[in-house]
Amino acid sequence: DARGRDARAMLDGVVAAWDDVVRATSVAIAMPRGSTRFLLALALAPAIGLGFPALDRALRVAGVERDDARARARSAYALVTGTMLSAAAFGRATVVCAHFGACAYATMLATRRRCGYVVFAGSFAYLMRYHFVADTATAWKSGEVDISGLLMVLVLKVTACALNYQDAATTKASEMSEFQNRRHLKRLPSALDYASWLMFPCTLVSGPAIEFRDYSDWLRDRGVYARGTPNRVAPATRKLLGAIACLGIYQAVAMRYTIENTYLNPSWAQYSLAERIWHVYVYGQGNRAKYYFVWMMADFAATVSGLGFSGYDAMGKARWDTAANIYPIGVEKSVTLNAIPLSWNVKTGLWLRHYVYDRVTPKGKKPGLLQILITQIVSGVWHGLHAGYWLFFVSSAFAVNAGRLMYRWKQTRVPEKYRVLVDVPLWAFTHVALNYLCAAFILVDLKQCIQSWSSMHYFGHVGIAVLLVFGA
């Protein structure tokens, strides 16, 4: 009818206008259109986040006092804006989010006592298929960004929720870990809450994955949100300025160091070993700043929405780390490789710790290298199927274990006043070796990874082997 035609015409006009914005921005910043869409979505997320406190004020003015009514309004706003943001960034591919969420939710409805394992296996199988069909690693390497990153975050969400729902039905409270006690779900989330959590706009395009219990508490002003959210201007400003600083670092390095004039440089063989290590180190540092920027922008968006608040510390100071996925200073200060995951991709690290590492460790036994290897392999599969990811994460399993051994050796064998003499060379090796290992993550192609490492005489692997032997 006429109304339907008018609506379609208006939608077509909006899509055409958005395409014009993307095209013009892509030309202006000299980036592929996929990356441009991603960056624009990242920039829009904080503006959408500001809509949550605005919605709360509007509800108060309208006299809406019931908690369930406010929660439904927040959920509806999150679902609608999140879906629109995904469509703006990834177009029609957004429909796979509905497939993902519907299948996981139906599994929790159908088979509660096994839903965690079924959702885990099914979501990873779907993600692996998508990585393979879309060749996502090659797209990322060329500078494009597709919906696979969003799907990776959804995998963490749906598996965590299903396992927490399963735990409440299969594990006695007395047998639960402290983490399980805080996260288990006695009741199935409502379809609206579940869908809006999956599509929460502030952290949608880049992560991190936020636990459903935290999201549910925020929706209903429970837990740490029961007394209201403190002023967010100062923490939000700090996070924004930090993101801008990291973007500046990335841009400064990217102007001189790229994948083409480092790893793939035709003259690479003519460089001395010291020059190769230096180029890889600087390129790695700059490339890491890109991730700092992206995750800090997501944290900024969650902070302005109010969800970023996580309670008060022992000194009564407000904490804003519900969506904090990166602590750049913590990464750069890490003395051993096992300390880096505490500050890098933190929420994914917590997911790997609590939903993989802890669960593959037999009860009553201490985890060892096998548990680290399994966890790192799962992380590698999650990132993609290219050999570079497997090489990086398997190598990093040994690197993390070497870091643990060296930390234990230092604490038991070296007097405290002399530890700085050990810390300085360990810190230097940690960061040079990290950027050396990251060559595999960046290049992803097996032949290129081996060529890169061999051009540096596998010094990182040799150093890790020495630390393993020395710390044993």
Side-chain angles (χ1 to χ4, degrees), residues 163-164 167 171 175-185 213 354 359:
L163 284 167
N164 289 330
D167 284 345
T171 308
E175 297 176 357
M176 287 185 180
S177 66
E178 188 272 336
F179 180 85
Q180 287 176 307
N181 264 311
R182 286 190 292 113
R183 298 303 183 190
H184 73 276
L185 299 172
R213 283 278 292 268
H354 296 296
R359 290 172 187 261

Side-chain angles (χ1 to χ4, degrees), residues 153-175:
V153 176
L154 291 189
V155 166
L156 303 186
K157 286 187 172 183
V158 298
T159 52
C161 189
L163 284 167
N164 289 330
Y165 186 56
Q166 174 183 294
D167 284 345
T170 59
T171 308
K172 295 178 181 178
S174 60
E175 297 176 357

Side-chain angles (χ1 to χ4, degrees), residues 52 69 86 97 144 240 271 273 309 315 339 343 365 388 398 454:
F52 287 101
S86 178
C97 300
E144 281 288 1
L240 176 60
Y271 293 165
L273 177 60
F309 177 61
M315 304 297 293
S343 301
K365 294 189 177 181
F398 289 94
S454 66

Side-chain angles (χ1 to χ4, degrees), residues 71 74 182-183 193 211-226 307 309:
R74 289 175 179 172
R182 286 190 292 113
R183 298 303 183 190
D193 286 357
E211 289 282 350
F212 182 80
R213 283 278 292 268
D214 290 334
Y215 180 76
S216 181
D217 284 349
W218 172 70
L219 283 180
R220 291 166 175 77
D221 294 321
R222 295 185 310 218
V224 299
Y225 307 99
L307 177 58
F309 177 61

Side-chain angles (χ1 to χ4, degrees), residues 72-86:
R72 284 196 299 270
R74 289 175 179 172
S75 281
Y77 176 75
L79 178 58
V80 171
T81 56
T83 302
M84 292 174 64
L85 188 66
S86 178

Side-chain angles (χ1 to χ4, degrees), residues 55-56 59 63-76 192 219-220:
L55 175 64
D56 290 343
L59 292 172
V64 178
E65 298 294 337
R66 290 175 55 190
D67 290 344
D68 58 342
R70 289 202 304 271
R72 284 196 299 270
R74 289 175 179 172
S75 281
L192 176 60
L219 283 180
R220 291 166 175 77

